[in-house]
Amino acid sequence: MRGLTVSRTDIGYYQGGNIHSMIERFEDLHISEPILRALNDMGFEEPTPIQKEAIPVAMEGLDMIGQAQTGTGKTAAFGIPVLERIDASLRAVQVLILSPTRELAIQVAEEINKMAQHTEIQALPIYGGQDIQRQFRSLRKNPQIIVATPGRLMDHMERGSISFDHVRIVVLDEADEMLNMGFVDDINKILSAVPDERQTLLFSATMPKAIKTLAETYLTEPRTISMKPTQVTMDLIEQYYIEVQDRQKFDLLCRLLDMHAPDLAIVFGRTKRRVDEVTEGLKKRGYMAEGIHGDLSQQKRDSVIRQFREGTIDILVATDVAARGLDISCVTHVYNYDLPQDPESYVHRVGRTGRAGKAGMAITFVIPREMEHLHAIERLTKRKIARRKAPSLGEVLEGQQKLAVQSLIDMADDTENLKMYRSSAEELLTDIDSVTLVAAAIKLLTKEPDTTPVTITEEAPLRVRKSRRNGNDGRRRDGKRSYRGNDRRKGDRNGRDGRDGRDRDRDNRGDRNRDRDRNRDYRGNRDRRRNDEGRVRDEQRPSAFKPYFKD
């Protein structure tokens, strides 16, 4: 595959002012008037970097690879050129968009329909968990765009309910996630069924070997637009980790939630059990939280996500699979209660905050045995993640007091609504000095930490894969190759001679080994005494982390 790479520096900027030298408005991208009107209705003011680079390439009809995450405006980056290249008069499927999850398929279809609101073009989401008869009825209306999950699309292909005869454009959205979820065979079958004369657009947050192989197979001389991970996930997101034992994670999470008071927060757990237990624990302590994972019905998941969007709940606890495709712009904090199974998932998690040019914060809990996995994430993102100490109870109370003071200040600015309370305040001031009165108000507004007992089942730590130098590769500790395997085969051919030879060698080594064993026993006893002394000192040293309650 021979591709052309377009970097952000190719776009160019004026040194002074905030006007880009080539593209500063959607009008500069030669977008038609109905779509421009829809973008204006949606509140879009100017294109994002990925949109500036991707839209011109896609509108030319060229195959393209876009390395970008959710939250960068990539839906419009492929949605706008897709709408521009559709024949609105032809009532047949012309565009096929593949998404890894139901949530993302629904969101992409909604976004495209908003951009197409002043046209005759219609996008239809097709996903599992929805009544297939309802989908049959919707397909009979001949939408021009299908946004589908691979599994449900395969069902329709087998039933013959979708025709690909007029498909001109295929979009693979979050391709790395689809491969991680095991959809590679489905994708191959789907792309093989689509006409060869087509445009293919591939978007992925990461570019592992499997994605490159997919691109080499199905894309023709694609242009590559790469948004560096540091551009996408790091610039506006403050990231740090706290080293903590698993049993202390829940109390630490509660302390951080009390300190940060996030507008909207996502807490990531590694297992369904973890999500259920953390969600239930947060509810017990008075937090507005709900959880989602793969075992929930589609109706329940949709309900929870709607509550989260509307702010009815402000904490969403989720597994990686359940949260894929979520596009909620106001998430201020991401808490990685558990490290993800693979470093790429960390990039997707962190990308849930810091969206649409807003700042965000991502905090990761790391148990000591999983530090190597954190280093793998740092290598992937090419950025050092700062370490911080767990906040003390005093720091949490101080943070709550600051929030209480800010609430008082905000209320004091609203003088109109305070008129009916002024006489009561003046009466109080005749008996109590103003400082004492304000201190009492701050105390009433300060949220005291909830100490309701909560039990969270400990999860096994992630395993670290280490190469064994003296394992199956036939090498000894000194790096020299061992031919013991050949000796074994030779012994088999020569009967007992091979075994007798090994026995004689073992006897000759025995004396030397016994001498070494005596020295090793002496050193071992000495080391054990040192370790015992060290353990006593460690047990006497107080822990830096004090939970809200004792186990």
Side-chain angles (χ1 to χ4, degrees):
M1 177 187 70
R2 185 182 63 182
L4 299 175
T5 300
V6 180
S7 67
R8 183 171 178 175
T9 55
D10 293 332
I11 296 297
Y13 291 82
Y14 283 125
Q15 293 298 316
N18 56 3
I19 300 176
H20 299 298
S21 60
M22 292 180 64
I23 297 172
E24 62 172 290
R25 303 175 303 164
F26 282 106
E27 287 84 348
D28 299 328
L29 294 167
H30 307 293
I31 298 171
S32 60
E33 190 276 333
I35 296 176
L36 283 175
R37 189 150 40 106
L39 294 173
N40 186 60
D41 294 343
M42 295 167 69
F44 289 0
E45 296 178 353
E46 62 179 42
T48 65
I50 186 66
Q51 292 164 2
K52 294 173 186 177
E53 298 182 25
I55 290 174
V57 174
M59 286 177 67
E60 287 183 41
L62 302 173
D63 285 4
M64 184 183 71
I65 299 171
Q67 187 174 357
Q69 292 180 273
T70 54
T72 57
K74 67 177 175 59
T75 302
F78 64 74
I80 291 172
V82 155
L83 292 173
E84 293 288 357
R85 302 196 67 233
I86 282 179
D87 181 358
S89 63
L90 177 61
R91 300 296 299 185
V93 178
Q94 301 174 50
V95 177
L96 179 61
I97 302 172
L98 295 181
S99 297
T101 64
R102 294 173 282 192
E103 288 78 14
L104 185 59
I106 294 169
Q107 290 172 13
V108 169
E110 287 178 351
E111 194 81 358
I112 290 177
N113 281 327
K114 288 178 184 177
M115 290 186 283
Q117 60 185 291
H118 301 299
T119 71
E120 298 298 321
I121 300 171
Q122 187 179 21
L124 174 68
I126 297 291
Y127 53 90
Q130 188 185 47
D131 181 14
I132 198 165
Q133 294 298 327
R134 178 180 174 184
Q135 293 178 359
F136 288 153
R137 291 192 295 270
S138 298
L139 286 168
R140 292 190 194 106
K141 298 178 182 178
N142 298 315
Q144 292 97 336
I145 303 172
I146 295 292
V147 187
T149 54
R152 179 49 65 95
L153 184 61
M154 288 287 293
D155 291 342
H156 282 282
M157 289 171 61
E158 292 170 1
R159 295 167 183 261
S161 51
I162 291 181
S163 171
F164 293 154
D165 292 345
H166 298 282
V167 171
R168 301 171 54 194
I169 305 171
V170 174
V171 180
L172 303 177
D173 191 13
E174 295 199 10
D176 53 348
E177 289 297 327
M178 284 193 283
L179 297 191
N180 287 341
M181 295 171 72
F183 286 129
V184 62
D185 291 337
D186 290 350
I187 292 171
N188 285 326
K189 290 178 182 177
I190 292 167
L191 294 181
S192 299
V194 176
D196 293 334
E197 293 295 323
R198 67 171 187 270
Q199 178 187 19
T200 306
L201 308 175
L202 185 152
F203 285 83
S204 180
T206 58
M207 295 301 294
K209 185 178 180 181
I211 293 294
K212 294 177 182 177
T213 301
L214 187 71
E216 289 171 355
T217 305
Y218 294 107
L219 276 67
T220 303
E221 295 188 355
R223 298 279 184 94
T224 299
I225 296 173
S226 179
M227 303 296 293
K228 296 178 181 178
T230 50
Q231 285 180 290
V232 175
T233 65
M234 308 302 175
D235 289 346
L236 297 173
I237 302 173
E238 181 184 356
Q239 298 177 73
Y240 65 89
Y241 77 92
I242 298 174
E243 189 173 348
V244 60
Q245 295 295 340
D246 194 87
R247 65 182 178 276
Q248 297 172 330
K249 285 182 178 180
F250 187 78
D251 283 306
L252 175 58
L253 175 64
C254 293
R255 289 191 182 188
L256 292 174
L257 289 171
D258 290 344
M259 285 182 65
H260 297 154
D263 295 335
L264 290 177
I266 301 179
V267 179
F268 282 101
R270 198 158 55 228
T271 64
K272 299 168 188 175
R273 179 178 65 183
R274 181 76 98 184
V275 167
D276 287 338
E277 291 181 352
V278 170
T279 302
E280 189 62 30
L282 289 172
K283 287 180 178 179
K284 281 184 178 179
R285 292 198 176 176
Y287 298 97
M288 302 299 292
E290 288 290 348
I292 57 171
H293 52 65
D295 282 355
L296 297 181
S297 67
Q298 183 63 30
Q299 183 178 6
K300 175 63 175 176
R301 289 166 71 180
D302 290 343
S303 173
V304 170
I305 292 170
R306 183 172 61 253
Q307 292 179 65
F308 190 57
R309 285 180 184 278
E310 295 171 353
T312 308
I313 58 173
D314 48 27
I315 302 170
L316 179 67
V317 189
T319 57
D320 288 303
V321 173
R324 280 171 186 153
L326 286 181
D327 189 7
I328 300 171
S329 60
C330 296
V331 174
T332 55
H333 292 70
V334 166
Y335 299 93
N336 293 312
Y337 195 96
D338 300 307
L339 278 175
Q341 293 282 356
D342 56 274
E344 287 81 5
S345 294
Y346 176 85
V347 178
H348 287 276
R349 288 182 178 187
V350 172
R352 304 300 160 199
T353 186
R355 291 168 174 259
K358 297 178 181 178
M361 181 178 289
I363 304 97
T364 301
F365 300 165
V366 184
I367 65 174
R369 292 175 63 183
E370 293 180 343
M371 288 302 296
E372 182 56 36
H373 288 274
L374 180 72
H375 298 328
I377 291 169
E378 291 176 329
R379 289 192 292 271
L380 175 72
T381 58
K382 298 179 181 178
R383 176 169 179 155
K384 188 78 173 174
I385 300 175
R387 175 176 178 166
R388 291 193 186 174
K389 292 181 179 180
S392 66
L393 184 58
E395 289 172 326
V396 175
L397 291 172
E398 183 181 349
Q400 286 296 304
Q401 286 182 24
K402 288 180 179 178
L403 291 173
V405 169
Q406 188 59 49
S407 297
L408 280 176
I409 294 172
D410 293 341
M411 183 62 69
D413 290 338
D414 190 6
T415 55
E416 189 65 30
N417 289 327
L418 294 177
K419 287 181 179 179
M420 61 182 297
Y421 302 100
R422 291 187 66 87
S423 59
S424 297
E426 290 169 355
E427 185 176 333
L428 282 170
L429 286 170
T430 58
D431 299 324
I432 307 170
D433 68 277
S434 58
V435 173
T436 302
L437 200 58
V438 171
I442 293 173
K443 186 179 188 305
L444 283 173
L445 291 173
T446 299
K447 179 179 180 290
E448 295 287 337
D450 192 321
T451 59
T452 303
V454 171
T455 302
I456 306 292
T457 305
E458 290 192 32
E459 297 285 353
L462 292 170
R463 293 183 179 180
V464 179
R465 297 176 182 175
K466 292 184 178 180
S467 61
R468 297 175 61 184
R469 294 186 61 84
N470 60 337
N472 296 331
D473 62 354
R475 291 188 181 275
R476 303 198 307 260
R477 292 180 185 273
D478 58 7
K480 296 179 181 179
R481 184 168 294 279
S482 170
Y483 294 96
R484 209 180 307 172
N486 293 334
D487 291 341
R488 187 178 299 115
R489 289 192 295 273
K490 193 180 298 181
D492 291 339
R493 288 195 299 269
N494 296 334
R496 293 185 58 85
D497 292 342
R499 286 191 295 273
D500 291 341
R502 285 196 298 276
D503 289 340
R504 282 193 297 272
D505 290 339
R506 192 178 297 113
D507 291 337
N508 291 335
R509 291 194 299 268
D511 294 336
R512 293 195 299 271
N513 289 341
R514 278 190 290 273
D515 291 337
R516 282 198 300 270
D517 289 341
R518 281 194 292 270
N519 292 333
R520 192 180 297 114
D521 290 340
Y522 170 76
R523 289 194 300 269
N525 291 332
R526 184 182 59 195
D527 293 340
R528 278 192 292 274
R529 285 196 299 272
R530 289 177 178 173
N531 290 337
D532 291 340
E533 292 170 2
R535 277 196 295 272
V536 171
R537 286 194 300 269
D538 290 340
E539 290 168 0
Q540 292 173 346
R541 187 182 300 119
S543 171
F545 186 89
K546 296 184 178 64
Y548 285 164
F549 58 92
K550 295 181 180 179
D551 293 331

